[in-house]
Amino acid sequence: MRILILGLLGLAVSVLLALAVKEDNGYILIGYGQWTVEGSLAFFLLMNLLLFGALYLTLRLISRIGAAPRKLHDWREHRGARRARKALTQGLVELSEGNWRRAERDLVRFAGKSETPLLNYLAAARSAQQQDAHERRDHYLQLAHESMPEADVAVGLTQAELQLDHAQLEQALATLKHLREIAPRHTHVLKLLKELYQRLDDWQELGQLLPELKKRKVVEPEELQALELRVFQNQLTAAAQDENLTQLQTVWNRIPAAIRFREEMVTTYVNHLMNRNEQNQVERLLRDAIGRHWSDDLVEFYGRVPADDRARQLSTAEAWLKDRPRNAVLLLTLGRLCLVNKLWGKARTYLEASIGIEPTSAAYRALGALLEKMDEKEKALTCFKAGLELSSAHPAPLELPASLKLPAAKPEERDSEEATDSRPKLEVVSKP
């Protein structure tokens, strides 16, 4: 519609011009020296228009011829970029499907013409890693760095991840330390360092990294608590190798109080102290820890600590009984402490109360040993049997299974055995 309107307007203008020229085509005279040119104005304007059009077309043609090399170069660049994008897409697809060799070939083939050569070389490095071609992997990483020097962190992180996957721990440590120097707050760098220190069992360095992990929220709170516990436990274990007790105590006092008196930490520390025969220190520590946070396991441990003042141990545990009169573990601990203090009657009362609340094999064994000492053999045997059944996953059979029963001997075989058996016979005589 637009073309039709423009055509009609052009036709109208042409008609008007033709009518104007027919009415009066004008006159023009041009003189220069002895030369003169004269003619109609309409013809002069038409010739000027034709000359202008010819000149314009000539200049356009010359311009196009001059720009041909540049346009050809641009066309080649565009074609190469299009092929590079296609190769990158195909290479990433091959990488996702596990076709490492073809992925590497497609990723590297047009990397030089790619708009994002960094991505090509990083993906090619991962493909080479999967083929155990570590020299090619490092070469691609170097090319990635050269293609975009400002992406040093991205290249370094990829290199560290690949080194960790291949268990090149020392190389990964050097890479991550360099990354931490240039990006000390980068969370992924901190996370990889955490994993590396765990694999190296370098708990000292990991302990120094903990505040930064907590500040940057690199790991979840639950994982951080477990990591803190493991770090300090391993530091205690390392300090326990020193013959000097001071080193172990120094590490213990350096642990934050919120972690120090957790059940797992107290158990680790008191075990090291028990190995050094520091029973009195263990008793004080357990008393303090239980007073801060009640723990049945620590209470049970407290009853087995051979401290010097056993009577004080007993009075301390009996003070806990006021708040927890029906705690089976505490009653068992009291029974054991009474046994150590040779208070047989109180020990029996506590042990029977513990069994009445929650029967355990440990309580049955302790009560059985006490009854045996009190010469109540049958009751002691009953306790030992009950404790054995509790500690066993399967109750004792009431009779032997059929597969273990011996076949009855024939009369002649039985007579032959009695004749050849010269061993003394045992006879069971029933008491009146």
Side-chain angles (χ1 to χ4, degrees), residues 31-47:
Y32 181 76
Q34 298 180 353
W35 297 90
T36 60
V37 178
E38 60 180 318
S40 65
L41 179 61
F43 179 76
F44 181 76
L45 293 176
L46 179 60
M47 290 300 296

Side-chain angles (χ1 to χ4, degrees), residues 203-204 231-242 244-257 260 265 268-269 272:
W203 304 106
Q204 189 66 31
V231 166
F232 292 124
Q233 282 180 325
N234 281 276
Q235 289 183 359
L236 283 175
T237 301
Q241 307 303 317
D242 195 324
N244 190 355
L245 180 62
T246 306
Q247 180 64 23
L248 181 62
Q249 293 173 333
T250 301
V251 174
W252 172 256
N253 293 327
R254 198 166 55 225
I255 300 174
R260 188 192 313 161
M265 287 301 305
T268 301
Y269 185 48
H272 292 311

Side-chain angles (χ1 to χ4, degrees), residues 235-286:
Q235 289 183 359
L236 283 175
T237 301
Q241 307 303 317
D242 195 324
E243 294 182 359
N244 190 355
L245 180 62
T246 306
Q247 180 64 23
L248 181 62
Q249 293 173 333
T250 301
V251 174
W252 172 256
N253 293 327
R254 198 166 55 225
I255 300 174
I259 302 174
R260 188 192 313 161
F261 287 100
R262 289 178 59 179
E263 179 183 325
E264 300 90 339
M265 287 301 305
V266 174
T267 301
T268 301
Y269 185 48
V270 298
N271 277 323
H272 292 311
L273 292 177
M274 290 292 290
N275 292 334
R276 295 172 178 265
N277 295 321
E278 296 290 335
Q279 289 86 358
N280 292 329
Q281 187 174 345
V282 169
E283 189 273 333
R284 290 193 299 270
L285 177 62
L286 287 175

